[in-house]
């Protein structure tokens, strides 16, 4: 057991202290230590009550995810909880940090819970495509009622201790920094007052009320149908809570177990667990160890107050870093600042921040009309339109006026970072920081490493991404870096397919059903045909439609027409444009296609692009590509991203499919398929 569990007795209170860095996950050794503690204290007459607490930064952060896929070795959660159920002595869980998943379920199985105010509790299993499988679906509704239980478990949200206290999930808040003493005092009071052993499993009060509401679950399902689309876990959670309300505890528990095991075996959960580790893996760069120091960033300059620049500025204002926002013209600057204010005020209206916070953030923003204002900035991010000449001009100027040691970043989406860096005398300070629109919302940050970018500059950009709430993914220099290059074939193939027969509506429906929030044509109509098709030399559908004044939703029509309620309806004009260009390009009709075949036509080429990105070393690992697709393009997370998805359909199928479409499969894809390997593991 080593140092995992330490047991001591203080004033008649038996203390089980678990220390299993980094997050006290409830792996086998930890469960063994807990069982030993419970057994030892049960047999010890000197012990009147038991306190469970953790060393380090957090209470148990959940089951050990690395143990998933095989049955839990004994003692499993059941074996631990039955010790608590059988205990004649009160067991108190003492929470700090984040008590999550199986960790919080353990706390729910204890008779009492105390926490410091900074603690947060939650059941985030849904994010792993699972349900709380250690009795959480049965105990939580018994403590807080079905409504709150459904909300907490299907959102996976962690709530602060005060809120948990108000819900009855925590019995007492103890002084910050004095959890141990506070928990011991609480346990002593219990003993002194002869308080009963409260077992959530025996509670009936909340459920009795829920039993009188037969439509509770269907109403919940209907209300959340959109948010739950494509995911498996939320429906299983609803079923488990239904069981909690309608069945005796033990039967409910058995139902929970069956549902949990089915989810554990599902592709959706495997995909979401892949994503959990992929997000964390992305921060690791083999030749830049964590020991490389990052540079302090206390002030940021953003060039360009358009949608992108404004969103980027907000990312830094949100974490209290002052931003100087530079535009050429007063009018554009005013407009940019007004949009930022409007965004914040919108959040305030929704209750996500206070009016005071809006003002605090706006006060950190300094508008400026000249690059001279950036002379003292620690980091400058250029976010002007995609013109190499303009960017080179800006970087040349920055080189002259920025202080030594300033990081010069470009938000370019496609252009060659090395050429941009060549406009300066300090290419080692130049890095790409590529945000995705809307920049204050989308969680992907591509950090682009140029030929000369210094290691500490890369490390700083990666770490800064984490600080502003993004997942940073490292990319090498190429046209479009990872996410945009990956998804380029998606749009192109969509256009080609439309010219071969299926309507935009049919194609969009297939991709929507696959899990995207919208199909490619709906997306182009939303973003604007003029924006998407801008730098195409050859004739394209978007180009032809733009020539007819059809720019998308903003002009009343693009690939679709829009009625007065902005509802998309098929457009005869667009159909004609598509047919004409199809004839001009001599595109053979595809004949009738299933939804799966349509998806394959658009997404197999994406996987192929991913394989090339990987073999060229643009991405460090396949899972980085999945992260980029999911967080940058809203690729459905329950498919695991393009690379993981490719493994689930089979690489042989993929290679063959590509060849049938007349596309040369990437050598890496062919090799991996032949070797029977997994693309997502590369
Ligand atoms: N199991 C195994 N490893 C875990 C883990 C877990 N439950 N939680 C975190 N880790 C690992 C991470 O992979 C990471 O490893 P690395 O350093 O090698 O990359 C390390 O611990 C630190 O994690 P983070 O980088 O995420 O640290 P943060 O401080 O940013 O966040 C945290 C801490 C909030 C606890 C976050 O790690 C987290 O959300 N963890 C997952 C919590 C979770 O989902 N729990 C439910 C598990 S499923 C379950 O309990 C099933 C049950 O119902 C039967």
């Amino acid at each position: 057991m080593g140092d995992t569990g330490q047991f001591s007795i203080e004033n008649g209170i038996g203390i089980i202290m678990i220390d299993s860095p980094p997050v006290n996950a409830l792996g086998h050794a930890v469960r063994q230590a807990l069982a030993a503690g419970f057994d030892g204290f049960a047999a010890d007459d000197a012990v009147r009550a038991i306190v469970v607490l953790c060393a380090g930064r957090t209470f148990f952060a959940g089951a050990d995810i690395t143990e998933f896929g095989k049955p839990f070795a004994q003692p499993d959660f059941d074996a631990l909880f039955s010790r608590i159920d059988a205990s004649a002595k009160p067991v108190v869980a003492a929470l700090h940090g984040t008590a999550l998943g199986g960790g919080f379920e353990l706390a729910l199985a204890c008779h009492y819970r105390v926490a410091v105010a900074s603690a947060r509790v939650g059941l985030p299993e849904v994010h792993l495509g699972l349900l709380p499988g250690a009795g959480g679906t049965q105990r939580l509704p018994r403590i807080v009622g079905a409504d709150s239980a459904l909300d907490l478990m299907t959102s996976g949200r962690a709530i602060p201790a005060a809120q948990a206290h108000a819900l009855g999930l925590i019995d007492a808040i103890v002084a910050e920094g004095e959890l141990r003493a506070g928990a011991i005092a609480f346990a002593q009071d219990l003993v002194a007052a002869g308080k009963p052993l409260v077992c959530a499993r025996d509670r009936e009060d909340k459920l009795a009320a829920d039993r009188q509401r037969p439509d509770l679950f269907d109403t919940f399902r209907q209300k959340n149908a959109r948010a739950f689309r494509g995911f498996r876990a939320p429906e299983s959670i609803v079923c488990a809570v239904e069981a909690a309300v309608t069945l005796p505890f033990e039967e409910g528990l058995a139902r929970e177990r069956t549902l949990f095991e089915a989810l554990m075996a599902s592709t959706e959960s495997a995909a979401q667990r892949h994503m959990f580790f992929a997000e964390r893996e992305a921060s690791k760069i083999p030749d830049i160890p964590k020991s490389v120091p990052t540079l302090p960033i206390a002030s940021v300059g953003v060039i360009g107050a358009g949608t992108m620049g404004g969103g980027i500025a907000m990312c830094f204002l949100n974490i209290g870093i002052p931003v100087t926002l530079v535009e050429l013209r007063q009018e554009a600057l005013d407009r940019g600042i007004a949009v930022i204010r409007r965004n914040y005020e919108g959040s305030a209206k929704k209750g996500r921040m206070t009016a005071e916070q809006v003002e605090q953030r706006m006060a950190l923003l300094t508008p400026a009309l000249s690059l001279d204002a950036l002379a003292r900035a620690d980091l400058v991010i250029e976010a002007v339109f995609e013109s190499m000449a303009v960017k080179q001009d800006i970087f040349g100027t920055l080189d002259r006026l920025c202080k030594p040691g300033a990081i010069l970043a470009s938000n370019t989406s496609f252009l060659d970072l090395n050429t941009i860096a060549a406009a300066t005398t300090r290419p080692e300070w130049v890095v790409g920081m590529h945000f995705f629109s809307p920049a204050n919302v989308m969680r992907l940050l591509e950090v682009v490493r140029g030929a000369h970018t210094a290691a500490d500059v890369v490390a700083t950009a990666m770490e800064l991404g984490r600080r502003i709430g993004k997942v940073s993914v490292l990319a090498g220099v190429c046209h479009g870096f990872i996410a945009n290059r990956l998804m380029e074939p998606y749009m192109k193939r969509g256009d080609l397919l439309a010219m071969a027969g299926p309507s935009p509506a049919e194609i969009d429906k297939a991709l929507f059903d696959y899990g995207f929030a919208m199909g490619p044509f709906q997306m182009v109509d939303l973003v604007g045909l003029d924006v998407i098709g801008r730098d195409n030399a050859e004739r394209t559908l978007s180009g032809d439609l733009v020539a007819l004044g059809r720019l998308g939703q903003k002009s009343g029509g693009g690939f679709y027409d829009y009625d007065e309620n902005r509802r998309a309806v098929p457009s005869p004009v667009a159909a004609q444009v598509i047919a004409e260009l199809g004839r001009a390009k001599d595109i053979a009709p595809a004949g009738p296609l299933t939804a799966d075949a349509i998806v394959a036509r658009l997404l197999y080429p994406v996987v192929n692009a991913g394989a090339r990105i990987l073999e060229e070393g643009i991405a460090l690992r396949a899972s980085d590509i999945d992260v980029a697709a999911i967080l940058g393009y809203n690729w459905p997370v329950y498919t695991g991203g393009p690379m993981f998805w490719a493994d689930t359909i089979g690489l042989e199928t993929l290679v063959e499919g590509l060849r049938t479409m007349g596309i040369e499969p990437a050598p890496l894809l062919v090799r991996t398929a032949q070797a029977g390997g997994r693309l997502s593991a590369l």
Side-chain angles (χ1 to χ4, degrees):
M1 202 161 312
D3 296 329
T4 306
Q6 289 159 26
F7 313 120
S8 57
I9 302 173
E10 235 173 84
N11 300 328
I13 309 300
I15 298 152
I16 303 175
M17 165 73 94
I18 300 292
D19 186 7
S20 180
V23 295
N24 292 308
L26 279 154
H28 188 221
V30 170
R31 296 196 302 275
Q32 278 182 313
L34 281 165
F38 288 136
D39 292 343
F41 289 145
D44 191 335
D45 289 339
V47 171
R48 311 280 307 279
I50 299 166
V51 167
V52 180
L53 76 170
C54 291
R57 66 198 220 220
T58 182
F59 193 71
F60 307 107
D64 187 338
I65 304 172
T66 59
E67 286 183 358
F68 284 0
K70 38 194 183 295
F72 286 116
Q74 289 296 333
D76 60 10
F77 282 94
D78 264 357
L80 284 183
F81 297 177
S82 58
R83 283 173 166 88
I84 300 173
D85 287 340
S87 173
K89 305 166 185 181
V91 182
V92 179
L95 320 182
H96 78 292
T98 38
L100 299 177
F104 188 48
E105 291 174 282
L106 178 115
L108 294 179
C110 292
H111 303 112
Y112 292 93
R113 290 159 292 281
V114 300
V116 289
S118 60
R120 299 172 69 81
V121 303
L123 295 171
E125 284 88 343
V126 70
H127 298 311
L128 301 169
L130 297 171
L131 53 69
T137 65
Q138 306 303 299
R139 288 191 178 85
L140 187 65
R142 284 178 163 78
I143 302 174
V144 300
D147 291 316
S148 295
L150 285 169
D151 170 45
L152 284 172
M153 291 191 285
T154 56
S155 71
R157 195 171 69 242
I159 56 171
Q163 195 182 340
H165 186 233
L167 279 170
L169 285 167
I170 284 174
D171 301 292
I173 308 273
V174 303
E176 204 70 54
E178 290 173 34
L179 181 60
R180 185 189 165 98
I184 293 174
F186 181 88
Q188 284 179 309
D189 289 348
L190 288 178
V191 174
K195 286 272 176 66
L197 303 178
V198 184
C199 285
R201 55 182 293 149
D202 300 328
R203 281 184 59 175
E204 277 295 316
D205 46 325
K206 298 278 181 185
L207 296 188
D210 288 334
R211 287 197 190 104
Q212 306 307 316
R213 300 164 54 207
D215 57 349
L216 189 167
F217 296 101
D218 281 338
T219 308
F220 184 79
R221 283 186 178 100
Q222 276 159 23
K223 209 177 92 195
N224 293 288
R226 233 180 99 144
F228 295 167
R229 187 175 74 92
F231 291 93
R232 276 182 67 152
E235 172 57 22
S236 297
I237 290 171
V238 177
C239 291
V241 176
E242 224 166 348
V245 172
T246 54
L247 300 175
F249 183 78
E250 287 298 337
E251 283 175 42
L253 216 50
R255 181 95 182 96
E256 175 192 276
R257 190 164 312 126
T258 309
L259 289 163
F260 181 79
E261 278 162 14
L263 287 177
M264 186 62 94
S266 70
T267 307
E268 289 86 346
S269 173
Q272 288 181 261
R273 282 179 275 140
H274 163 72
M275 183 60 178
F276 176 87
F277 288 111
E279 276 189 34
R280 282 154 182 84
E281 208 49 32
S283 68
K284 295 166 191 162
I285 306 172
D287 67 329
I288 307 182
K290 295 264 167 193
S291 55
V292 170
T294 57
L295 306 158
I297 303 294
S299 61
V300 171
V302 175
I303 308 170
T307 315
M308 248 322 173
I312 295 171
M314 288 176 73
C315 293
F316 294 97
L317 299 176
N318 291 346
I319 61 160
I321 295 184
V323 175
T324 303
L325 187 61
V326 182
E327 254 298 346
L328 282 179
R329 287 173 307 114
Q330 186 71 48
E331 194 190 275
L333 186 58
D334 292 345
R335 199 174 332 120
I337 303 270
V339 170
I340 295 178
R341 173 170 282 284
R342 200 169 343 118
N343 283 340
Y344 280 139
E345 284 173 350
S347 299
K349 260 202 207 100
K350 289 182 196 137
R352 297 204 193 115
M353 59 168 72
T354 63
E356 198 189 342
Q357 282 170 322
V358 174
E359 296 314 321
Q360 278 164 357
R361 287 178 201 194
M362 292 309 294
L364 289 172
L365 185 60
T366 309
L369 286 168
S370 157
L371 294 179
D372 293 337
L374 304 177
R376 302 303 313 154
D378 294 326
L379 162 71
V380 177
I381 303 175
E382 163 278 310
V384 305
F385 62 95
E386 291 284 85
S387 151
M388 181 56 89
V390 174
K391 290 193 196 258
Q392 282 204 309
D393 186 45
I394 288 177
F395 274 76
T397 308
L398 292 177
D399 187 35
R400 280 193 302 281
L401 61 84
C402 285
K403 67 179 183 187
I407 296 179
L408 309 180
S410 173
N411 176 54
T412 179
S413 338
F414 290 100
L415 299 177
D416 185 332
L417 186 76
N418 294 326
T419 311
I420 297 175
T424 73
T425 58
R426 39 172 142 170
E428 64 278 19
W429 292 95
V430 177
V431 68
M433 288 180 76
H434 180 212
F435 291 76
F436 290 75
S437 191
N440 53 316
V441 176
M442 297 299 279
R443 284 184 58 224
L444 178 65
L445 174 69
E446 277 180 353
V447 172
V448 185
R449 183 181 198 172
H452 301 288
T453 314
D456 54 355
V457 171
V458 172
T460 304
M462 295 287 291
E463 169 60 16
L464 204 54
R466 192 195 61 77
R467 279 177 62 200
I468 59 175
K470 313 279 181 215
V471 176
S472 309
V473 170
L474 188 70
V477 176
C478 70
H479 182 80
F481 313 114
I482 298 177
N484 284 346
R485 176 168 165 198
L486 180 75
M487 294 304 282
E488 208 169 62
Y490 175 71
M491 309 303 302
K492 284 213 173 118
R493 290 283 150 184
D495 282 7
L496 273 177
L497 188 56
M499 289 186 271
S503 68
E506 269 175 88
I507 298 172
D508 280 343
K509 178 165 182 347
L511 274 301
F512 175 82
D513 289 344
Y514 177 83
F516 284 96
M518 59 185 92
F521 299 104
Q522 289 164 315
M523 190 178 86
V524 177
D525 266 12
L526 183 71
V527 177
L529 277 66
D530 50 333
V531 178
I532 299 260
R534 196 160 43 198
D535 48 26
N536 257 314
E538 55 177 320
R539 225 180 124 188
T540 62
L541 288 179
S542 293
D544 282 11
L545 286 164
V546 168
L548 296 176
R550 299 182 66 90
L551 310 184
Q553 281 194 24
K554 61 185 168 189
S555 73
F559 283 97
Y560 295 90
D561 288 334
Y562 291 86
D563 64 16
E564 59 281 5
N565 300 320
R566 296 195 124 214
R567 266 214 350 248
V569 287
S571 161
V573 180
Q576 204 179 342
V577 168
I578 293 168
E580 268 169 22
L581 190 59
R583 273 195 299 275
K585 290 188 182 248
D586 206 14
I587 288 172
L593 292 177
T594 62
D596 280 351
I598 292 176
V599 166
R601 295 273 186 126
L602 268 68
L603 300 189
Y604 284 12
V606 172
V607 175
N608 202 37
R612 290 194 194 280
I613 287 169
L614 195 57
E615 69 192 355
E616 287 170 27
I618 299 299
L620 283 174
R621 49 183 86 81
S623 63
D624 284 4
I625 297 172
D626 287 336
V627 171
I630 291 168
L631 300 184
Y633 270 89
N634 286 327
W635 188 292
V637 61
Y638 48 79
T639 69
M643 310 305 263
F644 186 90
W645 176 68
D647 287 331
T648 63
I649 50 178
L651 299 186
E652 300 273 8
T653 311
L654 208 102
V655 167
E656 214 181 281
L658 284 166
R659 287 194 172 127
T660 317
M661 293 173 211
I663 299 172
E664 184 57 31
L668 178 77
L669 198 54
V670 177
R671 274 201 313 276
T672 314
Q674 278 165 356
R678 285 168 49 81
L679 199 55
S680 61
L682 296 179

